[in-house]
mmCIF file of all heavy atoms in Angstrom:
data_model
loop_
_atom_site.group_PDB
_atom_site.id
_atom_site.type_symbol
_atom_site.label_atom_id
_atom_site.label_comp_id
_atom_site.label_asym_id
_atom_site.label_seq_id
_atom_site.Cartn_x
_atom_site.Cartn_y
_atom_site.Cartn_z
ATOM 1 N N MET S 1 -7.867 14.957 33.226
ATOM 2 C CA MET S 1 -7.459 14.142 32.073
ATOM 3 C C MET S 1 -7.134 12.730 32.517
ATOM 4 O O MET S 1 -6.284 12.522 33.363
ATOM 5 C CB MET S 1 -6.213 14.759 31.417
ATOM 6 C CG MET S 1 -6.562 16.003 30.606
ATOM 7 S SD MET S 1 -5.141 16.730 29.789
ATOM 8 C CE MET S 1 -4.675 15.423 28.664
ATOM 9 N N SER S 2 -7.812 11.784 31.949
ATOM 10 C CA SER S 2 -7.569 10.395 32.323
ATOM 11 C C SER S 2 -6.557 9.776 31.366
ATOM 12 O O SER S 2 -6.481 10.149 30.200
ATOM 13 C CB SER S 2 -8.869 9.598 32.281
ATOM 14 O OG SER S 2 -9.364 9.540 30.968
ATOM 15 N N THR S 3 -5.813 8.806 31.877
ATOM 16 C CA THR S 3 -4.787 8.164 31.047
ATOM 17 C C THR S 3 -5.154 6.713 30.759
ATOM 18 O O THR S 3 -4.291 5.860 30.628
ATOM 19 C CB THR S 3 -3.430 8.219 31.769
ATOM 20 O OG1 THR S 3 -3.598 7.676 33.079
ATOM 21 C CG2 THR S 3 -2.922 9.631 31.859
ATOM 22 N N CYS S 4 -6.449 6.422 30.693
ATOM 23 C CA CYS S 4 -6.855 5.044 30.416
ATOM 24 C C CYS S 4 -6.627 4.724 28.946
ATOM 25 O O CYS S 4 -6.699 5.597 28.085
ATOM 26 C CB CYS S 4 -8.317 4.821 30.799
ATOM 27 S SG CYS S 4 -9.473 5.583 29.659
ATOM 28 N N THR S 5 -6.355 3.454 28.641
ATOM 29 C CA THR S 5 -5.996 3.073 27.276
ATOM 30 C C THR S 5 -7.231 2.977 26.386
ATOM 31 O O THR S 5 -7.117 3.081 25.175
ATOM 32 C CB THR S 5 -5.265 1.724 27.281
ATOM 33 O OG1 THR S 5 -6.074 0.774 27.968
ATOM 34 C CG2 THR S 5 -3.928 1.837 27.963
ATOM 35 N N CYS S 6 -8.412 2.772 26.980
ATOM 36 C CA CYS S 6 -9.606 2.598 26.142
ATOM 37 C C CYS S 6 -9.882 3.887 25.371
ATOM 38 O O CYS S 6 -10.310 3.852 24.230
ATOM 39 C CB CYS S 6 -10.817 2.193 26.987
ATOM 40 S SG CYS S 6 -11.467 3.531 27.990
ATOM 41 N N HIS S 7 -9.605 5.048 25.978
ATOM 42 C CA HIS S 7 -9.827 6.311 25.275
ATOM 43 C C HIS S 7 -8.858 6.443 24.104
ATOM 44 O O HIS S 7 -9.229 6.887 23.023
ATOM 45 C CB HIS S 7 -9.650 7.478 26.251
ATOM 46 C CG HIS S 7 -9.863 8.809 25.602
ATOM 47 N ND1 HIS S 7 -11.101 9.279 25.243
ATOM 48 C CD2 HIS S 7 -8.977 9.765 25.209
ATOM 49 C CE1 HIS S 7 -10.975 10.467 24.670
ATOM 50 N NE2 HIS S 7 -9.695 10.781 24.631
ATOM 51 N N LYS S 8 -7.604 6.036 24.339
ATOM 52 C CA LYS S 8 -6.607 6.109 23.267
ATOM 53 C C LYS S 8 -7.024 5.207 22.115
ATOM 54 O O LYS S 8 -6.920 5.577 20.956
ATOM 55 C CB LYS S 8 -5.251 5.645 23.809
ATOM 56 C CG LYS S 8 -4.489 6.766 24.494
ATOM 57 C CD LYS S 8 -3.018 6.385 24.686
ATOM 58 C CE LYS S 8 -2.349 7.377 25.631
ATOM 59 N NZ LYS S 8 -1.717 6.708 26.766
ATOM 60 N N LYS S 9 -7.510 4.017 22.449
ATOM 61 C CA LYS S 9 -7.929 3.078 21.415
ATOM 62 C C LYS S 9 -9.065 3.680 20.605
ATOM 63 O O LYS S 9 -9.105 3.573 19.382
ATOM 64 C CB LYS S 9 -8.385 1.763 22.081
ATOM 65 C CG LYS S 9 -7.836 0.531 21.385
ATOM 66 C CD LYS S 9 -8.247 -0.730 22.108
ATOM 67 C CE LYS S 9 -7.171 -1.202 23.079
ATOM 68 N NZ LYS S 9 -7.610 -2.338 23.873
ATOM 69 N N LYS S 10 -10.005 4.306 21.311
ATOM 70 C CA LYS S 10 -11.171 4.892 20.631
ATOM 71 C C LYS S 10 -10.724 5.988 19.660
ATOM 72 O O LYS S 10 -11.204 6.070 18.534
ATOM 73 C CB LYS S 10 -12.138 5.461 21.676
ATOM 74 C CG LYS S 10 -13.589 5.167 21.347
ATOM 75 C CD LYS S 10 -14.497 5.685 22.437
ATOM 76 C CE LYS S 10 -14.849 4.577 23.419
ATOM 77 N NZ LYS S 10 -15.663 5.062 24.521
ATOM 78 N N SER S 11 -9.779 6.832 20.090
ATOM 79 C CA SER S 11 -9.330 7.920 19.221
ATOM 80 C C SER S 11 -8.569 7.358 18.023
ATOM 81 O O SER S 11 -8.670 7.881 16.919
ATOM 82 C CB SER S 11 -8.454 8.898 19.999
ATOM 83 O OG SER S 11 -7.226 8.282 20.340
ATOM 84 N N ALA S 12 -7.824 6.268 18.232
ATOM 85 C CA ALA S 12 -7.110 5.648 17.115
ATOM 86 C C ALA S 12 -8.110 5.095 16.105
ATOM 87 O O ALA S 12 -7.956 5.257 14.904
ATOM 88 C CB ALA S 12 -6.206 4.534 17.629
ATOM 89 N N VAL S 13 -9.166 4.461 16.598
ATOM 90 C CA VAL S 13 -10.197 3.923 15.708
ATOM 91 C C VAL S 13 -10.866 5.071 14.964
ATOM 92 O O VAL S 13 -11.137 4.979 13.770
ATOM 93 C CB VAL S 13 -11.231 3.109 16.518
ATOM 94 C CG1 VAL S 13 -12.459 2.798 15.657
ATOM 95 C CG2 VAL S 13 -10.608 1.805 17.011
ATOM 96 N N GLY S 14 -11.114 6.178 15.659
ATOM 97 C CA GLY S 14 -11.731 7.338 15.017
ATOM 98 C C GLY S 14 -10.841 7.889 13.914
ATOM 99 O O GLY S 14 -11.316 8.208 12.834
ATOM 100 N N THR S 15 -9.538 7.958 14.182
ATOM 101 C CA THR S 15 -8.598 8.446 13.173
ATOM 102 C C THR S 15 -8.591 7.530 11.963
ATOM 103 O O THR S 15 -8.613 7.986 10.827
ATOM 104 C CB THR S 15 -7.181 8.530 13.775
ATOM 105 O OG1 THR S 15 -7.234 9.325 14.950
ATOM 106 C CG2 THR S 15 -6.213 9.154 12.806
ATOM 107 N N LEU S 16 -8.590 6.218 12.228
ATOM 108 C CA LEU S 16 -8.606 5.251 11.120
ATOM 109 C C LEU S 16 -9.881 5.407 10.309
ATOM 110 O O LEU S 16 -9.860 5.359 9.082
ATOM 111 C CB LEU S 16 -8.510 3.827 11.675
ATOM 112 C CG LEU S 16 -7.094 3.321 11.942
ATOM 113 C CD1 LEU S 16 -7.139 1.917 12.517
ATOM 114 C CD2 LEU S 16 -6.261 3.325 10.674
ATOM 115 N N THR S 17 -11.002 5.604 11.012
ATOM 116 C CA THR S 17 -12.279 5.734 10.315
ATOM 117 C C THR S 17 -12.270 6.978 9.431
ATOM 118 O O THR S 17 -12.703 6.935 8.276
ATOM 119 C CB THR S 17 -13.431 5.821 11.332
ATOM 120 O OG1 THR S 17 -13.367 4.687 12.189
ATOM 121 C CG2 THR S 17 -14.769 5.844 10.642
ATOM 122 N N VAL S 18 -11.760 8.073 9.965
ATOM 123 C CA VAL S 18 -11.694 9.314 9.182
ATOM 124 C C VAL S 18 -10.787 9.121 7.971
ATOM 125 O O VAL S 18 -11.123 9.520 6.860
ATOM 126 C CB VAL S 18 -11.190 10.472 10.069
ATOM 127 C CG1 VAL S 18 -10.860 11.692 9.215
ATOM 128 C CG2 VAL S 18 -12.246 10.820 11.111
ATOM 129 N N ALA S 19 -9.635 8.471 8.183
ATOM 130 C CA ALA S 19 -8.701 8.238 7.077
ATOM 131 C C ALA S 19 -9.353 7.349 6.027
ATOM 132 O O ALA S 19 -9.219 7.590 4.825
ATOM 133 C CB ALA S 19 -7.419 7.594 7.607
ATOM 134 N N GLY S 20 -10.068 6.328 6.464
ATOM 135 C CA GLY S 20 -10.744 5.436 5.530
ATOM 136 C C GLY S 20 -11.802 6.178 4.727
ATOM 137 O O GLY S 20 -11.931 5.984 3.523
ATOM 138 N N ALA S 21 -12.563 7.038 5.399
ATOM 139 C CA ALA S 21 -13.610 7.796 4.715
ATOM 140 C C ALA S 21 -12.981 8.740 3.685
ATOM 141 O O ALA S 21 -13.486 8.888 2.579
ATOM 142 C CB ALA S 21 -14.432 8.588 5.735
ATOM 143 N N LEU S 22 -11.864 9.361 4.061
ATOM 144 C CA LEU S 22 -11.181 10.264 3.122
ATOM 145 C C LEU S 22 -10.675 9.490 1.911
ATOM 146 O O LEU S 22 -10.831 9.947 0.770
ATOM 147 C CB LEU S 22 -10.007 10.947 3.831
ATOM 148 C CG LEU S 22 -10.375 12.171 4.668
ATOM 149 C CD1 LEU S 22 -9.157 12.666 5.432
ATOM 150 C CD2 LEU S 22 -10.937 13.280 3.801
ATOM 151 N N ALA S 23 -10.089 8.315 2.151
ATOM 152 C CA ALA S 23 -9.578 7.507 1.048
ATOM 153 C C ALA S 23 -10.720 7.090 0.129
ATOM 154 O O ALA S 23 -10.592 7.103 -1.087
ATOM 155 C CB ALA S 23 -8.857 6.279 1.591
ATOM 156 N N LEU S 24 -11.851 6.740 0.737
ATOM 157 C CA LEU S 24 -13.014 6.322 -0.053
ATOM 158 C C LEU S 24 -13.517 7.481 -0.904
ATOM 159 O O LEU S 24 -13.801 7.317 -2.091
ATOM 160 C CB LEU S 24 -14.116 5.849 0.900
ATOM 161 C CG LEU S 24 -15.189 4.949 0.279
ATOM 162 C CD1 LEU S 24 -14.589 3.625 -0.163
ATOM 163 C CD2 LEU S 24 -16.292 4.685 1.311
ATOM 164 N N ALA S 25 -13.614 8.668 -0.306
ATOM 165 C CA ALA S 25 -14.083 9.837 -1.053
ATOM 166 C C ALA S 25 -13.113 10.162 -2.187
ATOM 167 O O ALA S 25 -13.528 10.488 -3.301
ATOM 168 C CB ALA S 25 -14.211 11.036 -0.109
ATOM 169 N N LEU S 26 -11.814 10.033 -1.913
ATOM 170 C CA LEU S 26 -10.813 10.310 -2.935
ATOM 171 C C LEU S 26 -10.938 9.319 -4.085
ATOM 172 O O LEU S 26 -10.916 9.703 -5.260
ATOM 173 C CB LEU S 26 -9.420 10.232 -2.312
ATOM 174 C CG LEU S 26 -8.274 10.731 -3.190
ATOM 175 C CD1 LEU S 26 -8.379 12.234 -3.414
ATOM 176 C CD2 LEU S 26 -6.942 10.393 -2.543
ATOM 177 N N ALA S 27 -11.094 8.028 -3.748
ATOM 178 C CA ALA S 27 -11.238 7.005 -4.786
ATOM 179 C C ALA S 27 -12.485 7.266 -5.621
ATOM 180 O O ALA S 27 -12.481 7.116 -6.842
ATOM 181 C CB ALA S 27 -11.306 5.623 -4.141
ATOM 182 N N LEU S 28 -13.562 7.671 -4.950
ATOM 183 C CA LEU S 28 -14.809 7.956 -5.661
ATOM 184 C C LEU S 28 -14.615 9.137 -6.621
ATOM 185 O O LEU S 28 -15.039 9.089 -7.776
ATOM 186 C CB LEU S 28 -15.905 8.276 -4.637
ATOM 187 C CG LEU S 28 -17.345 8.197 -5.160
ATOM 188 C CD1 LEU S 28 -17.700 6.762 -5.524
ATOM 189 C CD2 LEU S 28 -18.309 8.704 -4.095
ATOM 190 N N ALA S 29 -13.953 10.182 -6.138
ATOM 191 C CA ALA S 29 -13.718 11.354 -6.991
ATOM 192 C C ALA S 29 -12.854 10.975 -8.192
ATOM 193 O O ALA S 29 -13.111 11.401 -9.314
ATOM 194 C CB ALA S 29 -13.037 12.462 -6.176
ATOM 195 N N VAL S 30 -11.828 10.153 -7.957
ATOM 196 C CA VAL S 30 -10.957 9.727 -9.052
ATOM 197 C C VAL S 30 -11.745 8.900 -10.060
ATOM 198 O O VAL S 30 -11.585 9.060 -11.273
ATOM 199 C CB VAL S 30 -9.765 8.922 -8.497
ATOM 200 C CG1 VAL S 30 -9.030 8.194 -9.614
ATOM 201 C CG2 VAL S 30 -8.814 9.849 -7.744
ATOM 202 N N ALA S 31 -12.622 8.025 -9.561
ATOM 203 C CA ALA S 31 -13.417 7.185 -10.455
ATOM 204 C C ALA S 31 -14.352 8.043 -11.297
ATOM 205 O O ALA S 31 -14.478 7.842 -12.506
ATOM 206 C CB ALA S 31 -14.220 6.173 -9.642
ATOM 207 N N VAL S 32 -14.999 9.023 -10.666
ATOM 208 C CA VAL S 32 -15.916 9.895 -11.402
ATOM 209 C C VAL S 32 -15.147 10.708 -12.449
ATOM 210 O O VAL S 32 -15.563 10.807 -13.598
ATOM 211 C CB VAL S 32 -16.662 10.827 -10.420
ATOM 212 C CG1 VAL S 32 -17.415 11.920 -11.189
ATOM 213 C CG2 VAL S 32 -17.637 10.009 -9.571
ATOM 214 N N ALA S 33 -14.004 11.265 -12.040
ATOM 215 C CA ALA S 33 -13.203 12.052 -12.975
ATOM 216 C C ALA S 33 -12.710 11.168 -14.119
ATOM 217 O O ALA S 33 -12.727 11.580 -15.277
ATOM 218 C CB ALA S 33 -12.019 12.682 -12.236
ATOM 219 N N GLY S 34 -12.279 9.954 -13.792
ATOM 220 C CA GLY S 34 -11.806 9.036 -14.818
ATOM 221 C C GLY S 34 -12.903 8.696 -15.806
ATOM 222 O O GLY S 34 -12.688 8.659 -17.014
ATOM 223 N N LYS S 35 -14.114 8.479 -15.305
ATOM 224 C CA LYS S 35 -15.239 8.156 -16.183
ATOM 225 C C LYS S 35 -15.553 9.341 -17.101
ATOM 226 O O LYS S 35 -15.913 9.154 -18.261
ATOM 227 C CB LYS S 35 -16.469 7.819 -15.333
ATOM 228 C CG LYS S 35 -17.099 6.482 -15.730
ATOM 229 C CD LYS S 35 -18.283 6.168 -14.836
ATOM 230 C CE LYS S 35 -18.051 4.835 -14.138
ATOM 231 N NZ LYS S 35 -18.997 4.601 -13.065
ATOM 232 N N ALA S 36 -15.410 10.542 -16.559
ATOM 233 C CA ALA S 36 -15.721 11.733 -17.354
ATOM 234 C C ALA S 36 -14.637 11.971 -18.404
ATOM 235 O O ALA S 36 -14.928 12.449 -19.495
ATOM 236 C CB ALA S 36 -15.835 12.950 -16.435
ATOM 237 N N VAL S 37 -13.379 11.617 -18.076
ATOM 238 C CA VAL S 37 -12.255 11.930 -18.971
ATOM 239 C C VAL S 37 -11.981 10.809 -19.966
ATOM 240 O O VAL S 37 -11.465 11.055 -21.037
ATOM 241 C CB VAL S 37 -10.990 12.213 -18.124
ATOM 242 C CG1 VAL S 37 -9.742 12.231 -18.985
ATOM 243 C CG2 VAL S 37 -11.164 13.537 -17.382
ATOM 244 N N LEU S 38 -12.354 9.580 -19.601
ATOM 245 C CA LEU S 38 -11.978 8.414 -20.405
ATOM 246 C C LEU S 38 -12.382 8.532 -21.875
ATOM 247 O O LEU S 38 -11.560 8.308 -22.756
ATOM 248 C CB LEU S 38 -12.588 7.151 -19.779
ATOM 249 C CG LEU S 38 -11.941 5.842 -20.239
ATOM 250 C CD1 LEU S 38 -10.455 5.829 -19.899
ATOM 251 C CD2 LEU S 38 -12.643 4.661 -19.598
ATOM 252 N N PRO S 39 -13.619 8.904 -22.218
ATOM 253 C CA PRO S 39 -13.990 9.019 -23.637
ATOM 254 C C PRO S 39 -13.116 10.020 -24.395
ATOM 255 O O PRO S 39 -12.731 9.761 -25.536
ATOM 256 C CB PRO S 39 -15.447 9.491 -23.595
ATOM 257 C CG PRO S 39 -15.937 9.095 -22.249
ATOM 258 C CD PRO S 39 -14.739 9.167 -21.335
ATOM 259 N N ASP S 40 -12.807 11.144 -23.743
ATOM 260 C CA ASP S 40 -11.960 12.141 -24.401
ATOM 261 C C ASP S 40 -10.572 11.581 -24.659
ATOM 262 O O ASP S 40 -9.988 11.785 -25.717
ATOM 263 C CB ASP S 40 -11.858 13.406 -23.539
ATOM 264 C CG ASP S 40 -13.181 14.155 -23.484
ATOM 265 O OD1 ASP S 40 -13.973 13.987 -24.429
ATOM 266 O OD2 ASP S 40 -13.414 14.868 -22.506
ATOM 267 N N VAL S 41 -10.036 10.849 -23.674
ATOM 268 C CA VAL S 41 -8.697 10.270 -23.825
ATOM 269 C C VAL S 41 -8.697 9.260 -24.962
ATOM 270 O O VAL S 41 -7.792 9.250 -25.800
ATOM 271 C CB VAL S 41 -8.257 9.607 -22.508
ATOM 272 C CG1 VAL S 41 -6.982 8.786 -22.718
ATOM 273 C CG2 VAL S 41 -8.043 10.666 -21.425
ATOM 274 N N GLN S 42 -9.724 8.418 -25.033
ATOM 275 C CA GLN S 42 -9.791 7.424 -26.104
ATOM 276 C C GLN S 42 -9.879 8.098 -27.470
ATOM 277 O O GLN S 42 -9.242 7.683 -28.427
ATOM 278 C CB GLN S 42 -10.999 6.509 -25.876
ATOM 279 C CG GLN S 42 -10.743 5.516 -24.753
ATOM 280 C CD GLN S 42 -11.971 4.658 -24.459
ATOM 281 O OE1 GLN S 42 -13.094 5.058 -24.766
ATOM 282 N NE2 GLN S 42 -11.764 3.507 -23.868
ATOM 283 N N ARG S 43 -10.683 9.165 -27.559
ATOM 284 C CA ARG S 43 -10.823 9.884 -28.820
ATOM 285 C C ARG S 43 -9.481 10.504 -29.224
ATOM 286 O O ARG S 43 -9.076 10.448 -30.386
ATOM 287 C CB ARG S 43 -11.879 10.990 -28.654
ATOM 288 C CG ARG S 43 -12.461 11.424 -29.993
ATOM 289 C CD ARG S 43 -13.501 12.518 -29.809
ATOM 290 N NE ARG S 43 -14.486 12.171 -28.794
ATOM 291 C CZ ARG S 43 -14.908 12.989 -27.828
ATOM 292 N NH1 ARG S 43 -14.434 14.212 -27.748
ATOM 293 N NH2 ARG S 43 -15.815 12.597 -26.964
ATOM 294 N N TYR S 44 -8.787 11.071 -28.221
ATOM 295 C CA TYR S 44 -7.490 11.696 -28.479
ATOM 296 C C TYR S 44 -6.481 10.652 -28.984
ATOM 297 O O TYR S 44 -5.759 10.888 -29.957
ATOM 298 C CB TYR S 44 -6.989 12.351 -27.188
ATOM 299 C CG TYR S 44 -5.567 12.853 -27.260
ATOM 300 C CD1 TYR S 44 -5.255 13.978 -28.029
ATOM 301 C CD2 TYR S 44 -4.554 12.210 -26.552
ATOM 302 C CE1 TYR S 44 -3.946 14.442 -28.092
ATOM 303 C CE2 TYR S 44 -3.254 12.667 -26.610
ATOM 304 C CZ TYR S 44 -2.954 13.780 -27.389
ATOM 305 O OH TYR S 44 -1.674 14.233 -27.439
ATOM 306 N N LEU S 45 -6.463 9.478 -28.344
ATOM 307 C CA LEU S 45 -5.530 8.428 -28.771
ATOM 308 C C LEU S 45 -5.872 7.951 -30.171
ATOM 309 O O LEU S 45 -4.986 7.693 -30.987
ATOM 310 C CB LEU S 45 -5.584 7.255 -27.765
ATOM 311 C CG LEU S 45 -4.920 7.526 -26.408
ATOM 312 C CD1 LEU S 45 -5.152 6.355 -25.478
ATOM 313 C CD2 LEU S 45 -3.428 7.800 -26.574
ATOM 314 N N ARG S 46 -7.161 7.836 -30.457
ATOM 315 C CA ARG S 46 -7.578 7.373 -31.784
ATOM 316 C C ARG S 46 -7.158 8.390 -32.850
ATOM 317 O O ARG S 46 -6.697 8.026 -33.915
ATOM 318 C CB ARG S 46 -9.106 7.195 -31.806
ATOM 319 C CG ARG S 46 -9.498 5.942 -32.591
ATOM 320 C CD ARG S 46 -10.989 5.678 -32.520
ATOM 321 N NE ARG S 46 -11.381 5.174 -31.203
ATOM 322 C CZ ARG S 46 -12.420 5.628 -30.495
ATOM 323 N NH1 ARG S 46 -13.184 6.599 -30.962
ATOM 324 N NH2 ARG S 46 -12.706 5.114 -29.333
ATOM 325 N N MET S 47 -7.297 9.673 -32.538
ATOM 326 C CA MET S 47 -6.914 10.716 -33.500
ATOM 327 C C MET S 47 -5.417 10.697 -33.738
ATOM 328 O O MET S 47 -4.952 10.901 -34.857
ATOM 329 C CB MET S 47 -7.334 12.091 -32.968
ATOM 330 C CG MET S 47 -8.823 12.378 -33.195
ATOM 331 S SD MET S 47 -9.317 13.909 -32.409
ATOM 332 C CE MET S 47 -8.315 15.096 -33.292
ATOM 333 N N ARG S 48 -4.627 10.449 -32.690
ATOM 334 C CA ARG S 48 -3.177 10.440 -32.831
ATOM 335 C C ARG S 48 -2.706 9.264 -33.674
ATOM 336 O O ARG S 48 -1.706 9.336 -34.369
ATOM 337 C CB ARG S 48 -2.513 10.355 -31.446
ATOM 338 C CG ARG S 48 -2.269 11.744 -30.862
ATOM 339 C CD ARG S 48 -1.415 11.683 -29.647
ATOM 340 N NE ARG S 48 -0.149 10.971 -29.881
ATOM 341 C CZ ARG S 48 0.757 10.761 -28.942
ATOM 342 N NH1 ARG S 48 0.529 11.156 -27.719
ATOM 343 N NH2 ARG S 48 1.867 10.142 -29.204
ATOM 344 N N ARG S 49 -3.437 8.142 -33.593
ATOM 345 C CA ARG S 49 -3.013 6.948 -34.313
ATOM 346 C C ARG S 49 -3.179 7.132 -35.823
ATOM 347 O O ARG S 49 -2.460 6.555 -36.611
ATOM 348 C CB ARG S 49 -3.835 5.739 -33.818
ATOM 349 C CG ARG S 49 -2.991 4.497 -33.741
ATOM 350 C CD ARG S 49 -3.740 3.349 -33.103
ATOM 351 N NE ARG S 49 -3.816 3.496 -31.647
ATOM 352 C CZ ARG S 49 -4.873 3.114 -30.922
ATOM 353 N NH1 ARG S 49 -5.921 2.582 -31.486
ATOM 354 N NH2 ARG S 49 -4.848 3.265 -29.622
ATOM 355 N N MET S 50 -4.144 7.922 -36.221
ATOM 356 C CA MET S 50 -4.420 8.089 -37.661
ATOM 357 C C MET S 50 -3.298 8.877 -38.349
ATOM 358 O O MET S 50 -2.690 9.738 -37.776
ATOM 359 C CB MET S 50 -5.745 8.855 -37.841
ATOM 360 C CG MET S 50 -6.925 7.952 -37.577
ATOM 361 S SD MET S 50 -8.487 8.846 -37.725
ATOM 362 C CE MET S 50 -9.618 7.472 -37.739
#
């Protein structure tokens, strides 16, 4: 096992990349779900206002 800092840096970058990819996937899922739900929510609000 080596204790060089370049390996630590690489693993930190890898962790950041994985976290970024997860955040991106989560944002994408939220956007898709929001797009699918938005018309229903608007219809529901319109019905409540009447």
Side-chain angles (χ1 to χ4, degrees):
M1 285 182 64
S2 64
T3 53
C4 74
T5 54
C6 73
H7 180 73
K8 275 195 192 125
K9 225 177 265 174
K10 221 177 264 177
S11 69
V13 168
T15 305
L16 275 179
T17 305
V18 169
L22 278 174
L24 200 66
L26 190 67
L28 197 66
V30 167
V32 169
K35 232 178 238 168
V37 167
L38 198 59
D40 291 335
V41 170
Q42 285 176 337
R43 202 180 310 134
Y44 171 71
L45 287 175
R46 220 175 287 133
M47 280 174 63
R48 271 190 54 182
R49 218 173 283 145
M50 284 178 168

